[in-house]
Each structure stands twice: as structure tokens, then as C-alpha cells.
Amino acid sequence: MNGLGGGAGLAVGLYLAAILGVGYAARRRRSGESLAEFYLAGRQLTGPVLLLTLYATQYSGNTLIGYPGEAFRLGFSWVMSVGFMMAIIVVYLCFAPQLHRLARRHEFVTPGDWFTHRFRSPALTLLANLLLVAAIANYLLAQLMAMGHITAGLSGGTVPYWVGVVLLTLVVLVYETVGGMRAVAWTDTLQGLMLVVGLTGLLVAASATPAHLATVTEWIAIEAPEKVAVPGWDVCRNWVSTLVLIGFSGAVYPHAIQRIYAARDSAALRRSFSVMVFLPIVTTGSVFLVGILAIEQLAGTGPIEPDQVLPLLLTQWGENSPILYALSLLVIVAVVSAIMSTADSVLLSLSSILAKDVLGTTILRGADEARLTQAGKFLSWGLVAGLVGIALVPRITLWGLTELKMEILAQVAPLFVLGVSWDRLTTRAALTGMTTGTLVYAGLLLSGHSQLWNFHAGVVALGVNLAVCITMSRLDPEAAPA
Amino acid sequence: MAGHTHSTMNRAPRHARGFPGWVWAVYLLLFAASIPWYIPADAPLRLWLGLPHWVVISLVATLGVAVFTVVVIRRFWPNEEPD
């Protein structure tokens, strides 16, 4: 393939210049160097900005590159992706209203601040932070890989994978370092809007009309009937497992937790959730349809890696007509937006955890907030340098990375879901549950059981984790209701 | 310290504990309806809006989750009460 040529480079170049400008504007609005100012935009995120930053953060490069690939590979059962993205909002309802209020009252900055406030156990906070860092470093790695894939795929290999990784990462680092959360939230707003525009372009380019869909569905029913058939019990069990896994894990992303902290008031949170709950239908629903349409369109292209489905489609559309070429450019900018908006949020969150919860409690104990903020910026650059090194030698697909990250995050979910909503949860039970869940997950993974009876190992481990939390808390006589 | 128990920890806030219990039961039903476990695996292919009928049923149930969530947020969002 030849890629989309200079037009794609120009579109992405203009977009990168625009977000650097937005990042600079955000820097001018900063007031001081406090941790809450840098990492939570002074706790002043209003409804529309909060919505778009949550949206742009939650929908990553994996959504636009990995999900069409999964629909292409699995067929119509990938409609589960609409439900599991919605499950995240439902899980938010278990704890976000109360957590937002507590965060403002007690000035939480990191997820670790909640753990420390609720459980008062350094061991628990340390283990939970380790799991969060492992999971989101993995997530950041997935975004860096996505930067390389999209650049190489869309330029037809003219711009090498490594150039995409390094160039886009540098842009993220620059605007994040100068503007902190405010720059991230503002650029996310722009990126969220680009995502909506790009998805519209995607649907138009794919001509996802009922008539076209009917033709394609009938074609798939003949050529690959297993992709159209009503899912059997094995797929249904995996569907349940994926709903639980993504629902619980996606709701406790550290960067999402910090957006709950950063909301200006509960009205902003309510308005954001009320709109966000519909966005899976628009977003994952669209990429699902595109992946389905690709089954017919890319037939005869030879073996295709799932992550290459969207770049291949865009290239084919771009060759068909000037209008489709223009729509493809919109989609490219949306994909780059989705990747960068997730990468910047994850990086900022990682930096805050390492600066405040790790350095701030060890070698920089007692340091003022400006110094911790500065240390966090340096850590970001060091951390990214290491991850770029790994991203340059990819060995796993984007969806594979996502599942690993989600299954680790799931073991921390009870600290939020039960910790906020159930006052009988004891520290000993929470710590034992999280440790047991993590060990069960690691044991299953190492013994080659990534799934048990079609349930993800991480979901089985979460079940054990929750059972331990509830049983130990109920058996503790001192934890009885007052 | 790992040995800390409830006596030194902060319990979850007692006020504004969350949404009513029946809300979660409705969610369970809606999500259960979004998974086509109740449709026979050998059902013949029927197209609704160009999609297999079980996909449309799943999407309608999922849309139900979204609409119900808006109702829950508007009517049952935990009140902000002082400690």
C-alpha cells in the first residue's frame, strides 16, 4: 500500500501545532506550582471540559485501532464492546459521588490519597500503587505502540514506526510539562471533538447504511458463518467476563479517578456522566460497524493482523475518491487525537503517583509542593524514555496489552467500590483480598490459564478478591455496624 | 501497617450512602438482556436494519442501560449532606 501521502502528514502536522498552542495557552492560566494546580487543574473542571477529557481519555488508540480489528476477527459478537464501555459508567455510580465529595473535603490529589485516608495502611497503599503503576505503564506502552502503528500504516511505511513513536511522544511531553492537567484537559477537549468528527467521517466513508450492512451481513453469513451466528454459551460466558473486567477496571483508571477529584462540583460530574453513558453507542458502536464492514472489504487481501485493519481501510478509501480521501484524513487526526489524549492523561497520572506517593513519602519527604511537581516532570521524561525503548520492539497486539492492564487494575477496584460504599470493609480484609487476588491472577497466568471456563483470569481473581474482602470483614467482630 | 483494622481506619461516609438497592437489580436485568444467552444458537439468520436480529436486541438493551442511567443520575444522585 502507498498510504495517504502528504495530505495525512499535513493534517497531522496542523493538528500537532494546534495542540501545542493549546498547551501553551493553558500554561498562561496556571496559578502557582501546587500539586492540585498541576495535576488537577486547580479542581476547576466544568461540565463540558470534564466530559470531553473523560471521553478522550477513556477512548484510546486501542478503541480506534484495536476494536475494529477485534470486530474483524470475531464478527458480530464484538457488539459486546458497546456494553462493556457503558459498564464503566455504571461502576462509577457505585463510588464516584461520594469519592468526589471526600476528595474536595480532604484535598486528595492521587488515588493513593484515598487509600491512605480510608485504610491508613502504608502496606496497602504501596501495593495498590504498585498495581496501578504496573497497569497504567502498560497502558501508556500500548499508546506509544499505537502511535508507531498509525504513523507507519498510514504513510505506507514512508514514515517508520519508530519516528511515529518518538515524534508524537515528544509533543505530548512538551505540552504536558508546560501546562499540567489544564493543558491535558484542554487538549483533550480538542481531541474529544476531533474524535466525534472523525467517527462521523468513519461512518460516512464506510457507508454504514442498513442496505449496505444487509449486503455485507449476508456475504459474511456465507463466507464466514461463525461470525454471524448467535453466540454459544462459551462466548456468552466470555461476554459476561468482559463486562465485569472492563466495567470494574475502566472505572478505576488512576487518571479517571483524578478527573473525579478535579470536577468543580457534583453537578459537573452528573452532567458529564449523563452524556458519557451514551458515547459507547456512538464511539464503540461506530468502530464495531467499521470492523464488520472490513470483513468483506478486506477479503482477499491476505492474512491481516487485527491492528492493521483500520490503517488498511483508510488507505483503500483514500485511493477511491477525493471526498473519501478527505474523510480519511479526518479519521487519521481523530485516531492520533485518541492516542495522544490517553497517553497524556496516563502519563500525568503516573507522574503524580510517583512524585507524591513514592518520592513524597521517601527521599523527598517534607519537600514543598513546587519541588514535588518539578520532580514529577523529570520522572515523566525518564519513564517515557524507558517505555519508548520497549515500544520500539513490540511483541504483543494492542488488545493483548489492554487485557493484561485491565486484569491487574481489577484487583484494585474493591478499594474504591467496596471502600466507598461499604463501611464494614476492614483494612486487613482489603489488603488480604487484593494480595490474594493478585497472586491468583499471577498464578493462573503463569500456569498458562489466561481464561478459566471462558472467564478471564483477572475476573476469577477479582471474584476471589471480593470474596476474601467480604468474608473477612463479616467475620471481624469489631467491624460490626456501630 | 497491614495490621491496622477498622478501629484506626476511616469508615466509608455514613451519609449519602449511594443509590437504592433496586437500581442495581435493574442494571443486572438490562445487562443480562444485552447478552444473547436466551436466543437459541441455531436460530436462523434474520436481518433487522441490516444486522443480525440478536445484535439489534443486544444494542436495544444496551441503550436501555444508558437511558436508565440518566434517570438514576437525575432522580437518585446521593444528596450532598454535611458529616
Side-chain angles (χ1 to χ4, degrees):
Chain A
M1 71 185 170
N2 298 319
L4 289 162
L10 183 65
V12 172
L14 285 173
Y15 164 74
L16 294 181
I19 58 169
L20 281 172
V22 170
Y24 179 71
R27 177 188 169 78
R28 294 168 63 91
R29 282 285 299 275
R30 258 172 60 194
S31 53
E33 288 286 327
S34 74
L35 290 166
E37 176 60 35
F38 188 76
Y39 289 116
L40 301 180
R43 300 180 202 277
Q44 290 298 318
L45 293 188
T46 54
V49 175
L50 183 64
L51 167 68
L52 285 165
T53 186
L54 269 171
Y55 174 54
T57 298
Q58 206 98 56
Y59 292 86
S60 61
N62 182 49
T63 316
L64 290 187
I65 299 181
Y67 286 19
E70 286 304 302
F72 177 83
R73 189 172 68 84
L74 295 173
F76 284 94
S77 63
W78 190 243
V79 71
M80 73 173 77
S81 61
V82 180
F84 69 58
M85 291 307 286
M86 214 173 271
I88 295 173
I89 306 294
V90 175
V91 175
Y92 275 144
L93 297 187
C94 299
F95 65 87
Q98 299 92 326
L99 186 63
H100 167 70
R101 209 153 32 238
L102 288 165
R104 293 192 76 82
R105 187 172 303 146
H106 301 286
E107 300 188 336
F108 299 159
V109 173
T110 62
D113 290 337
W114 159 248
F115 305 144
T116 304
H117 170 84
R118 171 69 167 87
F119 300 104
R120 303 194 178 214
S121 160
L124 182 146
T125 302
L126 177 67
L127 177 61
N129 272 334
L130 278 175
L131 294 177
L132 291 180
V133 168
I136 63 172
N138 190 344
Y139 196 24
L140 183 54
L141 177 60
Q143 303 314 307
L144 302 185
M145 284 169 54
M147 290 174 182
H149 280 307
I150 199 71
T151 317
L154 295 172
S155 66
T158 311
V159 180
Y161 171 90
W162 73 268
V163 172
V165 174
V166 172
L167 176 71
L168 298 185
T169 304
L170 267 177
V171 172
V172 168
L173 274 171
V174 167
Y175 71 71
E176 179 167 305
T177 305
V178 300
M181 168 72 107
R182 186 166 280 110
V184 168
W186 286 12
T187 52
D188 281 355
T189 305
L190 180 64
Q191 288 156 342
L193 290 172
M194 285 312 308
L195 204 52
V196 173
V197 172
L199 284 168
T200 311
L202 198 56
L203 282 182
V204 174
S207 64
T209 60
H212 184 206
L213 279 170
T215 311
V216 172
T217 305
E218 282 165 353
W219 183 90
I220 299 170
I222 295 165
E223 300 296 326
E226 74 284 358
K227 294 183 178 178
V228 173
V230 179
W233 279 102
D234 52 342
V235 177
C236 288
R237 283 194 297 269
N238 191 253
W239 193 322
V240 173
S241 175
T242 312
L243 276 176
V244 172
L245 179 65
I246 306 288
F248 279 87
S249 310
V252 300
Y253 281 141
H255 45 288
I257 296 290
Q258 287 180 301
R259 276 156 179 72
I260 293 170
Y261 293 174
R264 188 163 73 178
D265 48 36
S266 75
L269 210 53
R270 280 202 308 268
R271 278 196 292 270
S272 300
F273 288 167
S274 296
V275 178
M276 221 179 132
V277 75
F278 287 95
L279 295 180
I281 297 170
V282 180
T283 310
T284 34
S286 302
V287 293
F288 158 71
L289 287 181
V290 168
I292 292 295
L293 293 171
I295 297 173
E296 185 206 26
Q297 185 163 344
L298 299 181
T301 316
I304 298 170
E305 289 295 314
D307 292 348
Q308 286 302 313
V309 168
L310 187 69
L312 276 171
L313 277 179
L314 292 177
T315 307
Q316 286 195 5
W317 290 332
E319 288 164 356
N320 286 345
S321 77
I323 294 175
L324 283 180
Y325 180 78
L327 287 172
S328 298
L329 295 188
L330 275 181
V331 178
I332 291 164
V333 177
V335 172
V336 174
S337 295
I339 297 168
M340 293 177 75
S341 60
T342 302
D344 60 18
S345 307
V346 173
L347 181 59
L348 193 69
S349 199
L350 265 174
S351 153
S352 70
I353 293 172
L354 294 173
K356 186 169 189 297
D357 296 349
V358 178
L359 292 184
T361 56
T362 52
I363 56 175
L364 288 182
R365 186 193 292 269
D368 63 30
E369 294 205 351
R371 188 156 177 229
L372 286 178
T373 305
Q374 198 63 34
K377 292 179 187 176
F378 283 122
L379 276 173
S380 300
W381 285 77
L383 188 74
V384 165
L387 288 176
V388 164
I390 299 172
L392 294 179
V393 195
R395 295 179 193 281
I396 189 166
T397 67
L398 290 179
W399 177 246
L401 272 177
T402 299
E403 283 194 316
L404 275 178
K405 169 253 299 180
M406 288 297 188
E407 295 184 58
I408 298 170
L409 272 177
Q411 308 318 315
V412 184
L415 301 185
F416 291 100
V417 177
L418 287 183
V420 167
S421 60
W422 194 44
D423 66 350
R424 288 185 66 181
L425 177 67
T426 66
T427 300
R428 190 175 288 129
L431 180 57
T432 311
M434 181 168 53
T435 309
T436 313
T438 306
L439 291 174
V440 168
Y441 172 57
L444 286 172
L445 209 59
L446 292 174
S447 62
H449 297 90
S450 61
Q451 294 197 350
L452 275 186
W453 212 49
N454 308 110
F455 284 87
H456 296 85
V459 171
V460 174
L462 174 62
V464 173
N465 182 342
L466 286 170
V468 169
C469 284
I470 293 168
T471 309
M472 279 185 71
S473 296
R474 285 199 178 279
L475 290 177
D476 188 337
E478 293 181 65
Chain B
M1 291 183 325
H4 276 291
T5 61
H6 64 92
S7 54
T8 53
M9 72 191 179
N10 279 310
R11 287 181 176 229
R14 281 201 165 279
H15 66 278
R17 194 61 63 77
F19 297 92
W22 61 266
V23 163
W24 308 113
V26 174
Y27 273 126
L28 208 59
L29 288 175
L30 286 169
F31 277 117
S34 76
I35 303 170
W37 55 273
Y38 48 87
I39 299 175
D42 55 357
L45 176 66
R46 274 180 288 163
L47 296 187
W48 294 352
L49 298 170
L51 298 168
H53 69 295
W54 61 268
V55 173
V56 178
I57 294 170
S58 172
L59 284 171
V60 168
T62 311
L63 182 64
V65 171
V67 172
F68 180 64
T69 300
V70 173
V71 173
V72 166
I73 287 174
R74 288 194 174 199
R75 298 199 54 186
F76 302 106
W77 187 272
N79 293 321
E80 295 201 38
E81 294 168 13
D83 274 333

